[in-house]
């Protein structure tokens, strides 16, 4: 065990009031960076958040022979891709960041071979890559797993195909799309993921010269082209971070204006927040969430987009822990995502987990204690729990939170929270 990791120390009891500005989405920026491998020359991605994963992706692209430069103040990354990039993503990087798997499609399409260490990422479930492999195999790749690596080759190039996904996996849809853009002929992905991140990636590819239709629907059609050219693209705002602030406003009985938040990307979660008693209004460049009473518990089942996002599940569980009434939260996307419930129970939350269901009995206040973050969203959920706990809560392993929330402590403080990094 490491003994020197940083922690968030929160003294609960204050409502969060004020304004926040949402930066670019982590889960989009990383995929855009990986997809830049598809075009020789210099690509520019703007609105890229200053988070650890962006630097890990930079390191991965550098090891593949790219020259990358990130300017944190401008939030811009440039990636200069060589004619012949490398083809291997090592375990030391892949284990730190699940999105490393997103080089699979681009490298297979560009180089004809790729070796990617089998991913680790967050401790939120098994996270297989069988759907990625099946899709790429349908395009003509040969794939095998050896010594902890998945090795894929396309000795005869890639050929368009009709691919039906058993589950609308975000990562699999992205890898198939980024391989198919340079394949011969037409690819149809049936039961494709519809997440805004997938749409953002698709729009980036289109700007590079790819032919893609059906983005944001369950059927994506891709007509392969011979080559793509580098371009400039702005990352879409992070809907999960925006959703986190929305739940923070509700839980603390606060009033937060979320600049850059997209209501159209958060319809189901915002409906749930309204059901809990909050007032959500649209503003010039985002939305505002206001709450002046104890929230009413809501039932939620996570689902692929446009359903309730699994990445916001820790926040609804935390909200329900202090809400009026009993509720049931069902996790349908990631099996391991209730692990943080043990930590929430240390704060006094009344939660009973049975398989992928969590039954929650709301209590008036949680009670501050030391807890540990197990992944990005669980970590942020525990910080929000600290805001509504009596006394002091310490959330250890803050690096998990830093992976998804740039400047989280500063933003919390600006909204009136008593938070320190220790
Ligand atoms: C992405 C996001 C993650 C988010 C998730 C769902 C990134 C880096 N991460 O993860 O934050 O929670 O979408 O919105 O963008 N599965 C398989 N086989 C596969 C692929 C997936 O069994 O080949 C399973 C996974 O184990 C999981 C479920 O399908 O249980 C969903 O996975 P997927 O949609 O692929 O999510 P990720 O792309 O990993």
């Amino acid at each position: 065990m490491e003994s020197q990791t940083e922690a968030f120390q929160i003294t609960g009891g204050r409502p969060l009031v004020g304004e926040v500005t949402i930066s670019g989405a982590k889960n989009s920026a990383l995929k855009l960076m990986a997809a830049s491998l598809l075009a020789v020359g210099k690509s520019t991605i703007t609105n890229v958040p200053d988070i650890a994963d962006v630097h890990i992706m930079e390191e991965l692209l550098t090891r593949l022979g790219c020259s990358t430069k990130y300017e944190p103040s401008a939030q811009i990354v440039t990636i200069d891709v060589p004619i012949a990039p490398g083809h291997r993503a090592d375990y030391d990087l892949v284990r730190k960041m699940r999105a490393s798997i997103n080089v699979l499609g681009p490298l297979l399409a560009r180089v004809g071979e790729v070796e990617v260490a089998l991913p680790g990422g967050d401790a939120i479930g098994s996270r297989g890559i069988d759907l990625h492999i099946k899709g790429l195999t349908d395009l003509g790749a040969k794939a095998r797993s050896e010594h902890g690596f998945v090795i894929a080759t396309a000795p005869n190039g890639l050929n368009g195909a009709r691919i039906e996904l058993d589950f609308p996996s975000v990562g699999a849809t992205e890898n198939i799309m980024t391989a198919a853009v340079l394949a011969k002929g037409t690819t149809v992905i049936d039961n494709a993921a519809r997440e805004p991140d997938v749409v953002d990636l698709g729009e980036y590819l289109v700007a590079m010269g790819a032919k893609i239709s059906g983005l944001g629907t369950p059927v994506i059609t891709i007509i392969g082209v011979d080559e793509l050219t580098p371009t400039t693209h702005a990352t879409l705002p992070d809907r999960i971070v925006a959703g986190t602030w929305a739940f923070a406003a509700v839980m603390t009985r606060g009033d937060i204006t979320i600049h850059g938040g997209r209501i159209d990307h958060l319809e189901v979660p915002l409906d749930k927040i309204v059901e809990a008693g909050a007032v959500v209004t649209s503003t010039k460049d985002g939305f505002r969430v206001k709450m002046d009473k104890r929230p009413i518990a809501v039932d939620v089942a996570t689902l692929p987009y446009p359903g309730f996002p699994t990445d916001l599940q820790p926040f609804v569980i935390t909200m329900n822990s202090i809400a009026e009434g009993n509720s049931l939260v069902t996790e349908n996307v990631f099996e391991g995502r209730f692990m943080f419930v043990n930590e929430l129970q240390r704060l006094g939350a009344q939660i009973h987990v049975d398989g992928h269901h969590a039954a929650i009995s709301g209590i008036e206040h949680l009670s501050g204690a030391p807890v540990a973050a197990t992944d990005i969203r669980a970590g942020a959920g525990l910080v929000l729990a600290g805001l509504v706990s009596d006394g002091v809560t310490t959330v250890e392993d803050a690096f998990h939170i830093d992976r998804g929330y740039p400047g989280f402590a500063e933003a919390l403080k600006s909204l009136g929270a008593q938070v320190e990094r220790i």
Side-chain angles (χ1 to χ4, degrees):
M1 288 290 284
E2 288 180 47
S3 56
Q4 289 293 315
T5 66
E6 291 192 17
F8 281 87
Q9 190 177 68
I10 308 116
T11 308
R14 296 197 183 170
L16 297 193
V17 178
E19 304 179 13
V20 290
T21 299
I22 303 305
S23 49
K26 169 181 89 76
N27 286 350
S28 192
L30 298 172
K31 322 302 179 56
L32 299 171
M33 289 174 74
S36 300
L37 286 164
L38 285 162
V40 179
K42 198 166 172 181
S43 296
T44 304
I45 304 164
T46 63
N47 206 21
V48 176
D50 187 10
I51 49 173
D53 284 16
V54 164
H55 302 292
I56 298 173
M57 184 58 86
E58 265 195 288
E59 168 74 20
L60 175 54
L61 293 173
T62 304
R63 286 196 207 170
L64 289 168
C66 304
S67 306
T68 68
K69 185 164 173 245
Y70 179 63
E71 296 167 58
S73 56
Q75 308 261 293
I76 291 176
V77 67
T78 50
I79 301 158
D80 203 343
V81 179
I83 292 170
H87 67 274
R88 190 179 158 100
D90 292 314
Y91 182 58
D92 65 319
L93 297 180
V94 179
R95 72 186 281 267
K96 286 191 209 152
M97 182 184 66
R98 163 86 180 176
S100 311
I101 196 79
N102 271 68
V103 300
L104 201 53
L107 288 179
L108 195 59
R110 274 290 314 286
V111 188
E113 69 176 309
V114 52
E115 293 179 32
V116 180
L118 289 164
D122 290 326
I124 57 174
S126 72
R127 308 192 86 167
I129 56 162
D130 51 314
L131 300 171
H132 302 234
I133 298 304
K134 186 189 166 295
L136 297 174
T137 307
D138 287 347
L139 294 176
K142 299 202 182 321
R144 63 184 195 278
S145 164
E146 226 172 72
H147 305 300
F149 278 79
V150 46
I151 302 171
T153 56
N156 306 313
L158 297 173
N159 290 294
R162 184 173 190 96
I163 298 162
E164 190 163 332
L165 292 176
D166 293 343
F167 179 88
S169 153
V170 171
T173 302
E174 291 168 340
N175 264 328
I176 295 166
M177 197 161 69
T178 47
V181 284
L182 291 180
K184 283 193 202 72
T186 301
T187 298
V188 176
I189 311 174
D190 203 349
N191 199 23
R194 297 157 68 184
E195 269 71 1
D197 319 336
V198 175
V199 176
D200 199 28
L201 173 63
E203 286 173 353
Y204 180 51
L205 298 170
V206 169
M208 291 164 96
K211 292 192 176 151
I212 306 176
S213 59
L215 290 167
T217 78
V219 182
I220 298 178
T221 303
I222 302 141
I223 302 171
V225 296
D226 289 341
E227 64 172 359
L228 298 177
T229 46
T231 187
T232 298
H233 182 87
T235 313
L236 92 175
D238 199 313
R239 73 197 150 97
I240 304 301
V241 174
T244 304
W245 290 121
F247 276 100
V250 177
M251 273 181 241
T252 64
R253 304 185 200 184
D255 182 355
I256 306 182
T257 298
I258 302 162
H259 299 290
R262 294 265 306 256
I263 285 191
D264 58 329
H265 289 168
L266 285 164
E267 281 179 3
V268 173
L270 292 178
D271 281 352
K272 287 291 167 187
I273 279 174
V274 169
E275 196 182 319
V279 177
V280 177
T281 44
S282 165
T283 61
K284 194 162 66 355
D285 65 349
F287 61 92
R288 175 178 174 186
V289 180
K290 193 168 184 298
M291 183 70 160
D292 54 13
K293 54 180 180 283
R294 184 178 175 196
I296 299 157
V298 294
D299 293 335
V300 161
T302 67
L303 283 173
Y305 191 85
F308 192 97
T310 173
D311 285 357
L312 291 180
Q313 177 257 92
F315 308 107
V316 80
I317 290 196
T318 308
M319 180 188 83
N320 284 345
S321 302
I322 52 144
E324 200 180 315
N326 300 327
S327 55
L328 190 66
V329 173
T330 304
E331 175 55 59
N332 292 313
V333 180
F334 281 111
E335 67 211 40
R337 232 179 180 156
F338 283 148
M339 280 190 319
F340 84 105
V341 164
N342 293 336
E343 301 298 301
L344 214 48
Q345 284 165 336
R346 291 178 45 73
L347 302 177
Q350 303 288 310
I351 306 173
H352 175 73
V353 171
D354 185 1
H356 65 133
H357 301 290
I360 305 138
S361 304
I363 54 174
E364 287 261 0
H365 293 281
L366 299 173
S367 144
V371 288
T374 50
D375 72 64
I376 304 176
R377 311 301 165 191
L382 291 168
V383 171
L384 298 199
L387 297 173
V388 292
S389 295
D390 295 330
V392 176
T393 299
T394 313
V395 183
E396 282 167 28
D397 298 339
F399 66 91
H400 281 297
I401 303 169
D402 296 337
R403 285 184 52 211
Y405 295 87
F408 198 40
E410 293 73 20
L412 285 162
K413 272 190 212 170
S414 79
L415 295 169
Q418 249 185 297
V419 177
E420 298 299 330
R421 277 187 87 99
I422 55 166

